[in-house]
């Protein structure tokens, strides 16, 4: 078996069929489809059972209690038998004929540890839709991939095909939101080659009830911690550049605005030492000049003024 596809399922009776049909309708057929029912209480469980009865490639894993997205993915990984593994969220779907060209590419390039393909973000949300495209390119330097593609903005477990062996002794962190942001940097430490491609399309749908839409300050704190761990680990992605530090700083400001807590960030002068980077963005300069507490106050005032002026 070439590919294992893991789909976590929780309270998605209205979108699950669209997701599964987008997989079953692919021209590529050599896969194992693992539906992990995370103790759904709507009609999702019955839909999973129906697909398992109709197609021998479909396997249902059932949790006795709701464990969350990380544990659902981890359960799927334990059942996966393919040389490669990919993740598709049950409120999303993939475009027709997505898997065949991707798997053909991997058949030629056995050295690819991860293959990332295009993703249409925010479907159903007209204000935040974005089609993220990639060049056909190979990276043997994981930092080059991280900074050239700004991978820290798309650390998704979805829209990527992984060698399953990468997940030996690696699991998605239980109890954490934005678990992808914790996991991808760890996987990159184990990679030799990662590639991006123009082939295929993952459709990432906006869900008002989803983790991203429902994220509060505590959830964003998990996201901040994930990125701060990249700095603390001092691994293949270190030192970082100013653009990435600015990304981390924006998350920290959101955490401060929603929780009232002022996060503790390192000095950019200490961690932003990547060669060839541009000068610090304005917000990073303000952080260096004003300090975190004062920048948080300024950020809050700017947002208050913006809301009043609308």
């Amino acid at each position: 078996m070439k590919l294992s596809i893991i789909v976590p399922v929780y309270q998605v009776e209205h979108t699950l069929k669209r997701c599964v049909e987008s997989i079953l309708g692919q021209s590529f057929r050599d896969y194992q489809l693992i539906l992990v029912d995370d103790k759904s209480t709507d009609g999702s469980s019955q839909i999973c059972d129906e697909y398992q009865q109709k197609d021998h490639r479909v396997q249902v894993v059932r949790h006795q209690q709701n464990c969350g997205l990380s544990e659902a993915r981890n359960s799927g990984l334990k059942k996966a038998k393919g040389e490669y593994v990919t993740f598709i969220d049950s409120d999303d779907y993939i475009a027709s004929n997505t898997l065949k060209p991707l798997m053909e590419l991997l058949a030629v390039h056995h050295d690819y540890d991860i293959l990332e393909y295009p993703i249409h973000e925010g479907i159903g949300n007209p204000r935040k839709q974005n089609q993220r495209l990639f060049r056909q390119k190979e990276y043997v330097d994981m930092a080059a991939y991280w900074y050239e593609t700004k991978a820290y903005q798309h650390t998704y477990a979805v829209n990527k095909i992984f060698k399953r062996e990468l997940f030996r002794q690696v699991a998605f962190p239980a109890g954490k939101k934005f678990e992808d942001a914790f996991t991808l940097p760890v996987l990159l430490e184990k990679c030799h080659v990662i590639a991006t491609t123009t082939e295929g399309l993952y459709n990432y749908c906006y869900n008002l009830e989803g983790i991203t839409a429902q994220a509060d300050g505590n959830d964003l704190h998990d996201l901040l911690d994930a990125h701060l761990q990249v700095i603390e680990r001092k691994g293949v992605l270190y030192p970082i550049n100013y653009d990435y530090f600015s990304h981390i700083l924006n998350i920290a400001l959101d955490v401060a605005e929603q929780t009232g807590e002022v996060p503790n960030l390192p000095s950019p002068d200490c961690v932003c030492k990547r060669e060839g980077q541009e000068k610090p963005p304005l917000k990073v300069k303000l952080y260096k000049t004003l300090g975190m507490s004062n920048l948080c106050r300024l950020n809050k005032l700017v947002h208050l003024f913006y809301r009043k002026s609308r």
Side-chain angles (χ1 to χ4, degrees), residues 144-163:
Y145 160 74
W146 189 256
Y147 296 110
E148 283 181 24
T149 72
K150 297 189 176 181
Y152 46 84
Q153 296 179 356
H154 47 98
T155 59
Y156 315 125
V158 302
N159 90 301
K160 298 173 182 69
I161 298 179
F162 306 85
K163 277 186 178 175

Side-chain angles (χ1 to χ4, degrees), residues 184-196:
L184 183 60
V186 176
L187 295 175
L188 292 180
E189 298 280 349
K190 303 178 70 174
C191 284
H192 299 289
V193 183
I194 185 169
T196 56

Side-chain angles (χ1 to χ4, degrees), residues 63-187:
H63 285 173
Q64 296 304 308
Q65 60 183 11
N66 178 244
C67 299
L69 183 58
S70 284
E71 285 302 319
R73 287 175 174 165
N74 292 337
S75 293
L77 285 167
K78 290 175 184 176
K79 297 293 184 180
K81 298 178 181 178
E83 180 183 357
Y84 296 94
V85 63
T86 192
F87 304 90
I88 300 176
D89 287 346
S90 49
D91 47 3
D92 300 334
Y93 61 101
I94 54 176
S96 60
N97 200 36
T98 284
L99 295 180
K100 184 178 180 181
L102 298 178
M103 296 309 296
E104 287 176 346
L105 195 57
L106 289 170
V108 174
H109 297 279
H110 297 285
D111 55 334
Y112 289 0
D113 295 300
I114 301 176
L115 177 61
E116 182 169 26
Y117 62 98
I119 180 168
H120 189 172
E121 302 166 323
I123 294 173
N125 184 356
R127 292 184 178 181
K128 293 186 177 180
Q129 282 199 52
N130 175 52
Q131 196 155 19
R132 195 179 293 276
L133 305 175
F134 301 99
R135 291 187 293 165
Q136 202 82 30
K137 187 168 181 179
E138 300 175 4
Y139 297 89
V140 294
D141 180 349
M142 297 303 109
Y145 160 74
W146 189 256
Y147 296 110
E148 283 181 24
T149 72
K150 297 189 176 181
Y152 46 84
Q153 296 179 356
H154 47 98
T155 59
Y156 315 125
V158 302
N159 90 301
K160 298 173 182 69
I161 298 179
F162 306 85
K163 277 186 178 175
R164 183 164 61 91
E165 65 184 22
L166 288 176
F167 286 94
R168 289 178 185 171
Q169 299 182 329
V170 174
F172 291 94
K176 295 287 188 182
K177 299 294 176 65
F178 297 100
E179 66 291 321
D180 302 351
F182 286 94
T183 308
L184 183 60
V186 176
L187 295 175

